[in-house]
Amino acid sequence: MAENRSHRNYSLLIGDAWVPAQSGKSYDSHNPYTDHPWATVPDGGSVDVDAAVRAARAALDGPWGAMTGFERAGLLRELAVLLARDAQALAELESRDNGKLLRETQGQMKALPDWLNYFAGLADKIQGDVIPSDRRNFMVYTRHEPVGVVGAIVPWNSPLLLLMWKLAPALAAGCSLVVKPSDYTPVTALELGSRVLEAGIPAGVFNVVTGFGPEVGRALVSHPDVDRIAFTGSTSTGRAIARAAAENLTRTSLELGGKSAQLVFPDADLDAACNGIIAGIFAASGQTCIAGSRLIVHESIHDDLVDRLVDRARTIRLGDPLDMATEMGPLANVNQLNTVLGFLERATERGAKVATGGRTSPDHGALFFEPTVLTGVQPDMEVAQEEIFGPVLSVLTFAEDGDAVRMANATKYGLAAGLWTRDLARAHTIAHSLRAGTVWVNSYRVVAPNVPFGGVGASGWGRENGLAAVKDYTETKAVWLELAGETRDPFKLG
Ligand code: NAD
């Protein structure tokens, strides 16, 4: 499978300059489907991060910092127009970099302008309060000022969409960014950089340093002049970042892993549930943070539902991510494939049964893994507790609603959950009992710019999207104005 298009070469974006890494080093990004190198990017280091942070600071001290929210909103809308213009090209680049289906990346790229337009609509509404003072001679008001330089670190599974979840609110709030994309998928953040400049967003507002986590990522999160870290990635990296950020007390949001449950009750529409469960675990080959990787199904419908899932899983069409008929592409890299294989081996040793799948599919390519359903999974098994990040569904059963909730809540994660029932009271009661940042009822895997997203427990800190996301990139300042010219007792508070 040859990489038949021309090889691309990229530079770092620092300020408005495209530059090599100061070390002169670079590395190749591989297309997971063809397994061929297709783009060369700089292998950045801490000196490049320093330069990018200086550029980001200069933007805040320069024209960007002086702009009104109305002006920033205008620029965000300009960028939205450019991304709509280039959605198809960006989707193809994203699919080549991470192996995700073009039908999925097209959808994600078409959604990027929605995020920019939503947050542009908020950029001119970042207003404080006038607070009635408890003293007659004071006027008190608040301002929401940009937090400053944001270090944004994103993973490989939805690189540009997850970057947009940070970029749009951060720019609306008036911050500048230094972005570190995943070393597996460095290309689209750099491509976005060229559109940011084309939109007329001032130099230094958006900087990109490509390279590896232990070098670029670590330098960014421990940089003393970074004011806010916005991270999406694995729970283990999130922990390392929280520790590094603690040193400088840098404000940090963490969107981490998950082990999300899909609960199916006896009164559910099984056709709809089957479709939603397939979407939850096999879309993007299971490589999504919200993968519905645990099916918790009532014992009375277990066999029926598993049969339907197995039948559908066996017809999932594996193949070229750029072919619009393909339903599942490869895993994104060989580490991911080995991780999935390891989980499978340990699960079957502990007694889980492979109802379908459970093996690689070399006929389709080196990194393909069949859609897999595991039955007989017990709640304490590793495959019921740990994130696999692959196309593997673990099936557990329950007898009473309370057991289903207890089982769903019995992991360290709490990102998302789905539940399938026609009973309205049950839907609300169970939704309120689930320990998760998002609960979908009779659907799965729906997100929007105006709906908060994030997790509890080991799934992270904070929420992205929604009205509150802009304020999350601001600091609140209280201004007290003494109006009467009185002198006060200097040794008394207030
Ligand atoms: P990862 O944690 O390995 O890497 C994420 C990013 O962190 C990459 O850019 C990487 O280079 C960087 N990094 C690595 N070590 C670092 C360090 N010490 N300091 C700073 N940065 C460092 O995650 P991944 O494998 O790229 O992505 C998959 C994970 O992301 C899964 O666990 C998935 O659940 C999670 N994820 C979460 C969400 C969410 O919104 N909650 C969304 C998508 C993916």
Side-chain angles (χ1 to χ4, degrees), residues 143-488:
R143 287 167 52 77
H144 298 284
E145 300 176 349
V147 68
V149 175
V150 176
I153 302 180
V154 286
W156 46 262
N157 63 329
S158 291
L160 215 41
L161 185 70
L162 296 173
L163 176 52
M164 186 54 71
W165 292 13
K166 297 157 182 55
L167 171 95
L171 294 195
C175 296
S176 57
L177 287 99
V178 176
V179 176
K180 187 242 170 284
S182 166
D183 33 291
Y184 291 112
T185 53
V187 164
T188 47
L190 294 163
E191 291 280 348
L192 175 63
S194 73
R195 277 67 173 186
V196 167
L197 294 178
E198 188 184 345
I201 293 173
V205 173
F206 183 81
N207 307 274
V208 184
V209 183
T210 53
F212 292 83
E215 289 80 29
V216 176
R218 197 174 299 185
L220 190 56
V221 296
S222 50
H223 199 290
D225 206 27
V226 169
D227 303 293
R228 165 89 163 77
I229 295 159
F231 174 75
T232 301
S234 64
T235 296
S236 61
T237 306
R239 279 202 187 94
I241 286 177
R243 276 194 289 269
E247 198 55 42
N248 296 318
L249 294 173
T250 312
R251 273 175 59 186
T252 301
S253 57
L254 301 171
E255 295 284 359
L256 309 177
K259 192 73 200 173
S260 301
Q262 297 245 40
L263 285 63
V264 186
F265 295 89
D267 64 331
D269 172 342
L270 287 193
D271 285 338
C274 177
N275 195 54
I277 293 160
I278 294 283
I281 189 61
F282 298 133
S285 308
Q287 301 172 122
T288 70
C289 55
I290 51 179
S293 51
R294 288 182 298 154
L295 167 60
I296 300 177
V297 54
H298 191 266
E299 56 191 11
S300 65
I301 50 170
H302 170 275
D303 293 355
D304 187 0
L305 186 56
V306 168
D307 285 348
R308 290 169 191 243
L309 289 167
V310 166
D311 286 349
R312 180 67 183 95
R314 287 188 177 146
T315 62
I316 289 177
R317 195 190 293 237
L318 308 187
D320 183 350
L322 298 182
D323 180 345
M324 294 301 277
T326 300
E327 295 179 317
M328 238 178 78
L331 297 179
N333 54 66
V334 73
N335 290 341
Q336 210 49 51
L337 180 68
N338 289 334
T339 302
V340 174
L341 286 167
F343 272 107
L344 247 293
E345 195 180 316
R346 294 187 294 276
T348 45
E349 273 167 13
R350 286 221 37 208
K353 298 271 172 289
V354 178
T356 189
R359 52 185 186 207
T360 56
S361 186
D363 289 351
H364 292 98
L367 297 178
F368 279 82
F369 197 84
E370 289 185 359
T372 298
V373 177
L374 292 180
T375 54
V377 174
Q378 299 305 315
D380 64 341
M381 283 183 175
E382 187 192 40
V383 282
Q385 290 294 326
E386 299 296 335
E387 183 180 54
I388 301 176
F389 224 57
V392 181
L393 179 69
S394 298
V395 184
L396 303 100
T397 54
F398 72 91
E400 304 290 336
D401 286 15
D403 297 337
V405 170
R406 271 187 293 281
M407 228 180 268
N409 288 344
T411 76
K412 62 189 173 203
Y413 296 107
L415 191 57
L419 69 97
W420 301 84
T421 177
R422 291 185 172 105
D423 178 335
L424 205 56
R426 177 186 261 156
H428 287 291
T429 310
I430 304 283
H432 297 186
S433 319
L434 291 171
R435 196 169 156 271
T438 297
V439 177
W440 290 288
V441 179
N442 295 333
S443 76
Y444 204 79
R445 221 169 164 250
V446 196
V447 292
N450 58 343
V451 181
F453 179 89
V456 302
S459 293
W461 292 343
R463 295 291 177 272
E464 295 190 308
N465 304 330
L467 283 177
V470 175
K471 292 261 174 80
D472 204 19
Y473 286 92
T474 65
E475 291 285 7
T476 304
K477 178 181 283 172
V479 181
W480 294 72
L481 243 82
E482 207 280 344
L483 301 170
E486 289 175 356
T487 29
R488 300 167 36 254

